[in-house]
Amino acid sequence: QSVLTQPPSVSAAPGQKVTISCSGSGSNIGKNYVSWYQQLPGTAPKLLIYDNNKRPSGIPDRFSGSKSGTSATLGITGLQTGDEADYYCGTWDSSLSAAVFGGGTKVTVL
Amino acid sequence: QVQLVESGGGVVQPGRSLGLSCAASGFTFSTHAMHWVRQAPGKGLEWVAVISYDGSKNYYADSVKGRFSISRDNSKNTLYLQMSSLRADDTAVYHCARDVSPSYYYYIDVWGKGTTVTVSS
């Protein structure tokens, strides 16, 4: 069981929008920044969002992040077939003194 | 360019030990905390351990505490993971990853492709 909870899967048609939730607690999301990672099939994870809502250079503005209380959300607009991947949220848990990831969400473009 | 290349994976019997290495290049290794993150077949990411830029601080996941040891040699730009008392559920791809912070955690911005560890008799 992951410390951070994500839905196992989400799907939408090309061009549509999906949101992925990441639920935690006061000792992790409630206290620390959240980052998001994209893992395309057969590849290493890639940083998508850091500091809850900032995008590294090269990440399109179709990807956005937000945080409220002990939950965070990743949004993907203008969905493309190339967005089909697993997405993970991550942060530090101050009580566990450990980095924690969500269980991952598979995005399917219908 | 920034690169992390893991090595040392293989097939090992339960209860035995194995050491992994991660060669870093393209950045100042000694100014970044470094992580090991693993992914079991068909499963999600599981954080394993982190070590601060100078090796003075390290933290471990409960699942590996007391069995795994993370270390680094800044003169060789290399990160290590020594694994002992290996179990079947340690079977995974082990990724080396760079943290933006020198301390222990802020966020991971660079990942290696990983090396595969299979624990089986």
Side-chain angles (χ1 to χ4, degrees):
Chain A
Q1 294 288 57
S2 302
V3 172
L4 305 180
T5 301
Q6 297 180 232
S9 63
V10 297
S11 61
Q16 296 300 303
K17 175 181 178 178
V18 294
T19 60
I20 300 170
S21 60
C22 175
S23 177
S25 68
S27 62
N28 43 64
I29 292 179
K31 207 173 237 192
N32 299 295
Y33 287 111
V34 175
S35 51
W36 288 90
Y37 304 90
Q38 177 194 60
Q39 188 174 32
L40 297 168
T43 69
K46 172 184 164 184
L47 177 66
L48 213 54
I49 297 287
Y50 66 97
D51 282 6
N52 304 329
N53 56 17
K54 295 185 173 68
R55 284 175 286 107
S57 60
I59 300 299
D61 59 7
R62 299 188 299 107
F63 295 90
S64 64
S66 64
K67 176 182 132 174
S68 179
T70 59
S71 292
T73 301
L74 175 72
I76 310 174
T77 59
L79 207 57
Q80 301 174 1
T81 54
D83 297 332
E84 286 202 328
D86 294 319
Y87 293 81
Y88 297 89
C89 56
T91 188
W92 182 258
D93 191 298
S94 300
S95 293
L96 298 175
S97 291
V100 290
F101 290 105
T105 299
K106 183 175 183 62
V107 169
T108 300
V109 181
L110 301 172
Chain B
Q1 74 278 22
V2 175
Q3 200 169 5
L4 299 171
V5 179
E6 304 89 339
S7 61
V11 180
V12 60
Q13 291 179 328
R16 304 298 288 263
S17 299
L18 190 67
L20 305 182
S21 299
C22 169
S25 60
F27 67 100
T28 306
F29 179 70
S30 61
T31 61
H32 290 265
M34 296 295 296
H35 301 261
W36 287 100
V37 178
R38 69 184 181 183
Q39 189 166 28
K43 302 295 184 183
L45 301 175
E46 181 189 13
W47 176 80
V48 173
V50 63
I51 187 167
S52 61
Y53 73 105
D54 60 355
S56 63
K57 290 184 205 162
N58 49 59
Y59 298 95
Y60 297 91
D62 284 345
S63 58
V64 307
K65 208 171 286 183
R67 300 188 300 122
F68 289 14
S69 177
I70 188 171
S71 62
R72 65 191 297 159
D73 186 336
N74 286 344
S75 68
K76 295 182 179 178
N77 291 342
T78 302
L79 176 72
Y80 302 100
L81 185 69
Q82 183 63 36
M83 306 182 290
S84 62
S85 302
L86 282 162
R87 312 186 301 225
D89 61 359
D90 293 319
T91 294
V93 173
Y94 284 73
H95 296 278
C96 165
R98 183 183 84 169
D99 201 286
V100 171
S101 165
S103 181
Y104 51 92
Y105 187 86
Y106 186 5
Y107 61 89
I108 291 172
D109 68 336
V110 178
W111 297 74
K113 291 182 179 178
T115 186
T116 301
V117 174
T118 303
V119 183
S120 173
S121 53

Short mmCIF file of all heavy atoms in Angstrom, two decimals, chain B residues 73-112:
data_model
loop_
_atom_site.label_atom_id
_atom_site.label_comp_id
_atom_site.label_asym_id
_atom_site.label_seq_id
_atom_site.Cartn_x
_atom_site.Cartn_y
_atom_site.Cartn_z
N ASP B 73 31.16 7.88 -3.47
CA ASP B 73 32.57 8.29 -3.57
C ASP B 73 32.60 9.49 -4.49
O ASP B 73 32.53 9.34 -5.72
CB ASP B 73 33.42 7.14 -4.10
CG ASP B 73 34.91 7.47 -4.08
OD1 ASP B 73 35.27 8.66 -4.09
OD2 ASP B 73 35.71 6.53 -4.05
N ASN B 74 32.67 10.68 -3.92
CA ASN B 74 32.63 11.89 -4.74
C ASN B 74 33.88 12.05 -5.60
O ASN B 74 33.83 12.73 -6.63
CB ASN B 74 32.44 13.12 -3.85
CG ASN B 74 31.02 13.22 -3.30
OD1 ASN B 74 30.09 12.57 -3.81
ND2 ASN B 74 30.83 14.02 -2.27
N SER B 75 34.97 11.43 -5.21
CA SER B 75 36.18 11.51 -6.03
C SER B 75 36.05 10.68 -7.31
O SER B 75 36.75 10.92 -8.29
CB SER B 75 37.41 11.04 -5.23
OG SER B 75 37.33 9.65 -4.97
N LYS B 76 35.13 9.71 -7.28
CA LYS B 76 34.89 8.85 -8.45
C LYS B 76 33.54 9.13 -9.10
O LYS B 76 33.15 8.42 -10.03
CB LYS B 76 34.96 7.38 -8.04
CG LYS B 76 36.32 6.93 -7.56
CD LYS B 76 36.33 5.46 -7.22
CE LYS B 76 37.73 5.03 -6.77
NZ LYS B 76 37.77 3.61 -6.37
N ASN B 77 32.82 10.13 -8.61
CA ASN B 77 31.48 10.44 -9.14
C ASN B 77 30.60 9.20 -9.20
O ASN B 77 29.91 8.95 -10.20
CB ASN B 77 31.58 11.07 -10.53
CG ASN B 77 32.18 12.45 -10.50
OD1 ASN B 77 32.22 13.10 -9.46
ND2 ASN B 77 32.65 12.92 -11.64
N THR B 78 30.61 8.43 -8.13
CA THR B 78 29.90 7.15 -8.14
C THR B 78 29.07 6.97 -6.87
O THR B 78 29.51 7.26 -5.76
CB THR B 78 30.89 5.98 -8.28
OG1 THR B 78 31.65 6.15 -9.47
CG2 THR B 78 30.15 4.65 -8.36
N LEU B 79 27.86 6.46 -7.09
CA LEU B 79 26.92 6.12 -6.03
C LEU B 79 26.87 4.60 -5.92
O LEU B 79 26.96 3.91 -6.93
CB LEU B 79 25.54 6.68 -6.36
CG LEU B 79 24.39 6.35 -5.40
CD1 LEU B 79 24.53 7.13 -4.11
CD2 LEU B 79 23.05 6.67 -6.08
N TYR B 80 26.69 4.10 -4.68
CA TYR B 80 26.64 2.66 -4.48
C TYR B 80 25.40 2.26 -3.69
O TYR B 80 24.84 3.04 -2.93
CB TYR B 80 27.89 2.19 -3.69
CG TYR B 80 29.19 2.54 -4.36
CD1 TYR B 80 29.93 3.65 -3.94
CD2 TYR B 80 29.69 1.77 -5.41
CE1 TYR B 80 31.13 3.99 -4.54
CE2 TYR B 80 30.90 2.10 -6.01
CZ TYR B 80 31.61 3.21 -5.58
OH TYR B 80 32.80 3.54 -6.18
N LEU B 81 25.01 0.99 -3.88
CA LEU B 81 23.99 0.39 -3.02
C LEU B 81 24.44 -1.03 -2.73
O LEU B 81 24.52 -1.86 -3.62
CB LEU B 81 22.61 0.38 -3.68
CG LEU B 81 21.48 -0.13 -2.78
CD1 LEU B 81 21.20 0.85 -1.65
CD2 LEU B 81 20.20 -0.37 -3.60
N GLN B 82 24.76 -1.29 -1.47
CA GLN B 82 25.14 -2.64 -1.05
C GLN B 82 23.90 -3.30 -0.46
O GLN B 82 23.32 -2.80 0.49
CB GLN B 82 26.26 -2.59 -0.02
CG GLN B 82 26.76 -3.95 0.41
CD GLN B 82 27.37 -4.75 -0.74
OE1 GLN B 82 28.03 -4.19 -1.62
NE2 GLN B 82 27.15 -6.05 -0.75
N MET B 83 23.51 -4.43 -1.06
CA MET B 83 22.30 -5.13 -0.65
C MET B 83 22.66 -6.48 -0.06
O MET B 83 23.43 -7.24 -0.67
CB MET B 83 21.38 -5.33 -1.86
CG MET B 83 21.07 -4.03 -2.60
SD MET B 83 19.94 -4.26 -3.99
CE MET B 83 21.02 -5.16 -5.10
N SER B 84 22.14 -6.76 1.12
CA SER B 84 22.41 -8.06 1.74
C SER B 84 21.09 -8.71 2.16
O SER B 84 20.04 -8.07 2.14
CB SER B 84 23.34 -7.90 2.94
OG SER B 84 22.73 -7.08 3.91
N SER B 85 21.17 -9.98 2.53
CA SER B 85 19.97 -10.74 2.93
C SER B 85 18.84 -10.54 1.93
O SER B 85 17.69 -10.27 2.29
CB SER B 85 19.51 -10.33 4.33
OG SER B 85 20.52 -10.51 5.28
N LEU B 86 19.17 -10.70 0.66
CA LEU B 86 18.21 -10.42 -0.39
C LEU B 86 17.04 -11.40 -0.36
O LEU B 86 17.19 -12.58 -0.03
CB LEU B 86 18.90 -10.43 -1.75
CG LEU B 86 19.69 -9.16 -2.04
CD1 LEU B 86 20.70 -9.38 -3.15
CD2 LEU B 86 18.75 -8.01 -2.40
N ARG B 87 15.86 -10.88 -0.70
CA ARG B 87 14.64 -11.67 -0.70
C ARG B 87 14.01 -11.59 -2.09
O ARG B 87 14.33 -10.71 -2.88
CB ARG B 87 13.65 -11.11 0.33
CG ARG B 87 14.26 -10.86 1.69
CD ARG B 87 13.25 -10.45 2.73
NE ARG B 87 12.51 -9.24 2.40
CZ ARG B 87 12.27 -8.27 3.26
NH1 ARG B 87 12.78 -8.35 4.50
NH2 ARG B 87 11.55 -7.23 2.92
N ALA B 88 13.07 -12.48 -2.34
CA ALA B 88 12.41 -12.49 -3.65
C ALA B 88 11.73 -11.17 -3.95
O ALA B 88 11.70 -10.71 -5.10
CB ALA B 88 11.39 -13.63 -3.70
N ASP B 89 11.20 -10.51 -2.91
CA ASP B 89 10.49 -9.25 -3.16
C ASP B 89 11.43 -8.06 -3.35
O ASP B 89 10.97 -6.93 -3.50
CB ASP B 89 9.45 -8.96 -2.06
CG ASP B 89 10.05 -8.81 -0.68
OD1 ASP B 89 11.29 -8.95 -0.54
OD2 ASP B 89 9.29 -8.55 0.27
N ASP B 90 12.73 -8.31 -3.37
CA ASP B 90 13.70 -7.27 -3.75
C ASP B 90 13.92 -7.26 -5.26
O ASP B 90 14.64 -6.40 -5.78
CB ASP B 90 15.04 -7.49 -3.04
CG ASP B 90 14.95 -7.28 -1.53
OD1 ASP B 90 14.28 -6.32 -1.10
OD2 ASP B 90 15.56 -8.09 -0.80
N THR B 91 13.33 -8.23 -5.95
CA THR B 91 13.45 -8.29 -7.40
C THR B 91 12.84 -7.04 -8.03
O THR B 91 11.67 -6.73 -7.81
CB THR B 91 12.74 -9.55 -7.95
OG1 THR B 91 13.43 -10.71 -7.47
CG2 THR B 91 12.70 -9.55 -9.47
N ALA B 92 13.64 -6.32 -8.80
CA ALA B 92 13.18 -5.05 -9.36
C ALA B 92 14.25 -4.46 -10.29
O ALA B 92 15.39 -4.92 -10.30
CB ALA B 92 12.88 -4.05 -8.25
N VAL B 93 13.84 -3.45 -11.03
CA VAL B 93 14.80 -2.57 -11.70
C VAL B 93 15.17 -1.48 -10.70
O VAL B 93 14.28 -0.85 -10.12
CB VAL B 93 14.19 -1.95 -12.97
CG1 VAL B 93 15.15 -0.91 -13.55
CG2 VAL B 93 13.86 -3.02 -13.99
N TYR B 94 16.46 -1.30 -10.49
CA TYR B 94 16.95 -0.30 -9.53
C TYR B 94 17.47 0.92 -10.29
O TYR B 94 18.42 0.82 -11.08
CB TYR B 94 18.05 -0.91 -8.66
CG TYR B 94 17.49 -1.83 -7.60
CD1 TYR B 94 17.01 -3.09 -7.95
CD2 TYR B 94 17.42 -1.44 -6.27
CE1 TYR B 94 16.46 -3.93 -6.99
CE2 TYR B 94 16.88 -2.28 -5.29
CZ TYR B 94 16.40 -3.52 -5.67
OH TYR B 94 15.87 -4.36 -4.71
N HIS B 95 16.82 2.06 -10.04
CA HIS B 95 17.20 3.31 -10.68
C HIS B 95 18.01 4.16 -9.71
O HIS B 95 17.66 4.31 -8.54
CB HIS B 95 15.97 4.13 -11.08
CG HIS B 95 15.09 3.51 -12.11
ND1 HIS B 95 15.35 3.58 -13.46
CD2 HIS B 95 13.94 2.80 -11.97
CE1 HIS B 95 14.39 2.96 -14.12
NE2 HIS B 95 13.53 2.47 -13.25
N CYS B 96 19.07 4.74 -10.24
CA CYS B 96 19.83 5.77 -9.54
C CYS B 96 19.18 7.10 -9.95
O CYS B 96 18.75 7.25 -11.10
CB CYS B 96 21.27 5.66 -10.04
SG CYS B 96 22.36 7.03 -9.71
N ALA B 97 19.08 8.06 -9.02
CA ALA B 97 18.39 9.31 -9.35
C ALA B 97 19.03 10.48 -8.60
O ALA B 97 19.47 10.33 -7.46
CB ALA B 97 16.91 9.20 -8.99
N ARG B 98 19.03 11.62 -9.26
CA ARG B 98 19.65 12.82 -8.69
C ARG B 98 18.60 13.71 -8.06
O ARG B 98 17.54 13.97 -8.65
CB ARG B 98 20.37 13.60 -9.79
CG ARG B 98 21.10 14.84 -9.29
CD ARG B 98 21.74 15.60 -10.43
NE ARG B 98 20.81 16.51 -11.08
CZ ARG B 98 21.18 17.44 -11.97
NH1 ARG B 98 22.46 17.56 -12.29
NH2 ARG B 98 20.28 18.23 -12.53
N ASP B 99 18.88 14.20 -6.86
CA ASP B 99 18.00 15.19 -6.25
C ASP B 99 18.53 16.59 -6.55
O ASP B 99 19.72 16.80 -6.68
CB ASP B 99 17.95 14.99 -4.73
CG ASP B 99 16.71 15.61 -4.11
OD1 ASP B 99 16.67 16.85 -4.01
OD2 ASP B 99 15.79 14.86 -3.76
N VAL B 100 17.63 17.54 -6.65
CA VAL B 100 18.03 18.93 -6.87
C VAL B 100 18.77 19.46 -5.65
O VAL B 100 19.69 20.26 -5.76
CB VAL B 100 16.79 19.79 -7.17
CG1 VAL B 100 17.15 21.25 -7.19
CG2 VAL B 100 16.18 19.38 -8.48
N SER B 101 18.36 19.02 -4.46
CA SER B 101 18.93 19.50 -3.20
C SER B 101 20.23 18.79 -2.86
O SER B 101 20.40 17.62 -3.19
CB SER B 101 17.92 19.26 -2.08
OG SER B 101 18.53 19.38 -0.81
N PRO B 102 21.12 19.47 -2.15
CA PRO B 102 22.31 18.78 -1.63
C PRO B 102 22.00 18.00 -0.35
O PRO B 102 22.76 17.12 0.04
CB PRO B 102 23.29 19.91 -1.34
CG PRO B 102 22.41 21.09 -1.04
CD PRO B 102 21.19 20.92 -1.91
N SER B 103 20.88 18.31 0.29
CA SER B 103 20.63 17.80 1.63
C SER B 103 20.13 16.36 1.63
O SER B 103 20.90 15.43 1.85
CB SER B 103 19.62 18.71 2.34
OG SER B 103 19.39 18.24 3.64
N TYR B 104 18.83 16.14 1.45
CA TYR B 104 18.34 14.76 1.32
C TYR B 104 17.15 14.67 0.41
O TYR B 104 17.02 13.71 -0.35
CB TYR B 104 18.04 14.11 2.67
CG TYR B 104 17.16 14.91 3.60
CD1 TYR B 104 15.79 14.76 3.61
CD2 TYR B 104 17.72 15.82 4.48
CE1 TYR B 104 14.98 15.49 4.46
CE2 TYR B 104 16.93 16.57 5.34
CZ TYR B 104 15.55 16.39 5.32
OH TYR B 104 14.77 17.14 6.17
N TYR B 105 16.24 15.65 0.42
CA TYR B 105 15.12 15.56 -0.53
C TYR B 105 14.54 16.93 -0.82
O TYR B 105 14.26 17.71 0.08
CB TYR B 105 14.00 14.66 0.01
CG TYR B 105 12.92 14.43 -1.05
CD1 TYR B 105 13.05 13.41 -1.99
CD2 TYR B 105 11.81 15.27 -1.13
CE1 TYR B 105 12.10 13.22 -2.97
CE2 TYR B 105 10.86 15.09 -2.12
CZ TYR B 105 11.00 14.06 -3.03
OH TYR B 105 10.08 13.88 -4.01
N TYR B 106 14.38 17.17 -2.11
CA TYR B 106 13.56 18.29 -2.56
C TYR B 106 12.69 17.76 -3.70
O TYR B 106 11.48 17.69 -3.58
CB TYR B 106 14.44 19.45 -3.00
CG TYR B 106 13.70 20.72 -3.35
CD1 TYR B 106 12.33 20.82 -3.19
CD2 TYR B 106 14.36 21.82 -3.88
CE1 TYR B 106 11.64 21.97 -3.52
CE2 TYR B 106 13.69 22.97 -4.22
CZ TYR B 106 12.33 23.04 -4.04
OH TYR B 106 11.66 24.18 -4.38
N TYR B 107 13.32 17.39 -4.80
CA TYR B 107 12.67 16.58 -5.82
C TYR B 107 13.76 15.97 -6.71
O TYR B 107 14.87 16.46 -6.77
CB TYR B 107 11.67 17.38 -6.65
CG TYR B 107 12.22 18.55 -7.43
CD1 TYR B 107 12.70 18.39 -8.73
CD2 TYR B 107 12.23 19.82 -6.87
CE1 TYR B 107 13.20 19.47 -9.43
CE2 TYR B 107 12.73 20.91 -7.58
CZ TYR B 107 13.20 20.73 -8.85
OH TYR B 107 13.70 21.81 -9.55
N ILE B 108 13.40 14.87 -7.37
CA ILE B 108 14.32 14.17 -8.26
C ILE B 108 14.19 14.76 -9.65
O ILE B 108 13.07 14.84 -10.18
CB ILE B 108 14.01 12.66 -8.26
CG1 ILE B 108 14.37 12.04 -6.91
CG2 ILE B 108 14.74 11.96 -9.40
CD1 ILE B 108 13.92 10.60 -6.74
N ASP B 109 15.29 15.17 -10.26
CA ASP B 109 15.20 15.77 -11.59
C ASP B 109 15.90 14.96 -12.68
O ASP B 109 15.72 15.25 -13.86
CB ASP B 109 15.72 17.21 -11.59
CG ASP B 109 17.22 17.30 -11.34
OD1 ASP B 109 17.80 16.36 -10.74
OD2 ASP B 109 17.81 18.32 -11.75
N VAL B 110 16.69 13.96 -12.31
CA VAL B 110 17.36 13.13 -13.31
C VAL B 110 17.30 11.68 -12.84
O VAL B 110 17.57 11.40 -11.66
CB VAL B 110 18.83 13.55 -13.50
CG1 VAL B 110 19.51 12.64 -14.53
CG2 VAL B 110 18.92 15.01 -13.95
N TRP B 111 16.98 10.78 -13.78
CA TRP B 111 16.88 9.36 -13.48
C TRP B 111 17.81 8.58 -14.41
O TRP B 111 17.95 8.92 -15.58
CB TRP B 111 15.46 8.86 -13.73
CG TRP B 111 14.41 9.46 -12.88
CD1 TRP B 111 13.89 10.73 -12.98
CD2 TRP B 111 13.71 8.83 -11.81
NE1 TRP B 111 12.91 10.92 -12.03
CE2 TRP B 111 12.78 9.76 -11.29
CE3 TRP B 111 13.76 7.57 -11.22
CZ2 TRP B 111 11.93 9.47 -10.23
CZ3 TRP B 111 12.91 7.26 -10.16
CH2 TRP B 111 12.00 8.21 -9.68
N GLY B 112 18.39 7.51 -13.88
CA GLY B 112 19.11 6.57 -14.72
C GLY B 112 18.14 5.55 -15.30
O GLY B 112 16.99 5.46 -14.84
#
